[in-house]
């Protein structure tokens, strides 16, 4: 991880970086549960409830493709004060169960939150967006987690400035070229873009290349901004014994694909192409379960025989 002091040398960083002096979410550094309870408004919040510390993301729209898929966490819609009660009850019970609020900021928030939001360092972030030719800001996800909560390794198809507000998070990142070591679920699976490897207990027989994975690690605290480039894998955990964590991320569409593609292709371009092939095959075949075997046959059938 580079510290922001090196930014003069890296005016457009392409790798993850922890920036310590952006003031991006300065007005939000006063946020805590009490302030949010008073000011966040009466909207509905998506809260995930998990039987353990892991919150493996799943796309509810893709659940029909895999009828036997049973999500390991449940999404519930609730008011902010209900979430706070749930969090306290879960803490008091002291078991493995945990809750994680993950809600896109929207216009139901109260006036003070709007004022804080308008006071974010838009000047800085808008300049970053323009310099990098990114597309529009798509959303700001608010994440409020309990200590020990883990978001397992996955990649997103968007650029991300991940702004830490309260508590500390340990972030482990892997470049897109480590795709083969991280074994993503099939594109049509609800856990598309997530690694199948359980980092707590990796199955080395099923996922032999996982032992070769090499990543970067950083711990971010209040005021830090972690740049997570598009297609970079990230595993994120709220540190134990650190209390509640609060983060707001800034997701942007990537720069448009260049008209002239230069070779050799970069790792993230290969990932994008593989995804498109898998998607097209799934659509052509009608049944996403057929994609895996067909891809295997195409590749094995053509390359495993002696071609000399
Ligand atoms: O902070 C977390 O737990 C996950 C956040 C994340 O995956 C993201 O911002 O892309």
């Amino acid at each position: 991880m580079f510290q922001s002091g090196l930014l003069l040398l890296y005016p457009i960083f392409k790798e993850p970086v922890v920036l310590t002096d952006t003031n991006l979410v300065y007005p939000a550094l006063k946020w805590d549960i009490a302030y949010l309870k008073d000011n966040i408004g009466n909207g509905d919040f998506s809260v995930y409830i998990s039987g353990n510390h892991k919150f493996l993301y799943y796309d509810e729209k893709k659940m029909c493709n895999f009828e036997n898929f049973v999500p390991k966490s449940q999404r519930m819609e609730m008011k902010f004060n209900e979430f706070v009660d749930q969090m306290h009850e879960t803490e008091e019970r002291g078991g493995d169960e945990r809750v994680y609020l993950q809600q896109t900021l929207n216009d139901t928030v109260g006036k003070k939150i709007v004022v804080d939001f308008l006071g974010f360092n838009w000047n800085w972030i808008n300049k970053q967006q323009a310099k990098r030719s990114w597309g529009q800001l798509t959303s700001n996800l608010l994440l409020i987690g309990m200590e020990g909560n883990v978001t397992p390794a996955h990649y997103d198809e968007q650029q991300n400035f991940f702004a830490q507000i309260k508590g500390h998070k340990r972030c482990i990142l892997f470049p897109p070229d480590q795709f083969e070591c991280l074994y993503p679920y099939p594109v049509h699976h609800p856990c598309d873009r997530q690694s199948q490897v359980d980092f707590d207990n990796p199955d080395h027989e099923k996922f032999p290349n996982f032992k070769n994975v090499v990543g970067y690690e950083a711990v971010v605290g209040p005021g830090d901004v972690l740049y997570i480039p598009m297609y970079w894998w990230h595993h994120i955990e709220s540190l134990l014994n650190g209390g509640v964590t609060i983060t707001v991320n800034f997701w942007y569409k990537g720069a448009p694909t260049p008209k002239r593609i230069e070779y050799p292709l970069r790792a993230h371009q290969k990932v994008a192409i593989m995804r498109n092939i898998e998607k097209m095959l799934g659509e052509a075949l009608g049944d996403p379960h057929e994609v895996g075997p067909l891809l295997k046959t195409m590749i094995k059938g053509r390359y495993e025989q002696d071609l000399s």
Side-chain angles (χ1 to χ4, degrees), residues 83-98:
F83 159 68
V84 177
D85 291 346
Q86 279 266 358
M87 193 163 56
H88 289 154
E89 279 166 28
T90 310
E91 266 163 10
E92 272 155 29
R93 271 202 301 275
D96 290 338
E97 191 181 288
R98 283 188 162 73

Side-chain angles (χ1 to χ4, degrees), residues 81-146:
N81 56 349
E82 291 173 327
F83 159 68
V84 177
D85 291 346
Q86 279 266 358
M87 193 163 56
H88 289 154
E89 279 166 28
T90 310
E91 266 163 10
E92 272 155 29
R93 271 202 301 275
D96 290 338
E97 191 181 288
R98 283 188 162 73
V99 295
Y100 206 166
L101 180 148
Q102 301 188 8
Q103 175 63 48
T104 301
L105 287 175
N106 58 34
D107 58 9
T108 63
V109 300
K111 231 191 213 153
K112 281 196 177 171
I113 302 292
V114 172
V115 171
D116 293 338
F117 184 81
L118 294 175
F120 288 177
N121 194 349
W122 294 106
N123 187 28
W124 176 79
I125 206 165
N126 290 344
K127 277 192 189 141
Q128 294 295 325
Q129 177 193 19
K131 246 191 336 201
R132 295 151 190 279
S133 312
W134 288 352
Q136 73 195 56
L137 172 70
T138 57
S139 56
N140 292 103
L141 187 70
L142 169 69
L143 299 120
I144 306 185
M146 296 173 68

Side-chain angles (χ1 to χ4, degrees), residues 100 102 141 143 149-151 154 156 160 162 169 228 234 236-238 247 249 251:
Y100 206 166
Q102 301 188 8
L141 187 70
L143 299 120
N149 281 10
V150 168
T151 298
H154 66 283
D156 296 307
N160 187 354
F162 178 90
K169 280 182 167 172
I228 308 178
H234 44 289
I236 297 186
E237 50 189 72
S238 297
T247 314
N249 75 14
W251 265 318

Side-chain angles (χ1 to χ4, degrees), residues 69-87:
F69 171 74
V70 182
K72 295 209 176 70
S73 65
Q74 259 64 48
R75 179 176 60 82
M76 285 182 69
E77 295 299 302
M78 59 182 81
K79 304 294 172 196
F80 193 81
N81 56 349
E82 291 173 327
F83 159 68
V84 177
D85 291 346
Q86 279 266 358
M87 193 163 56

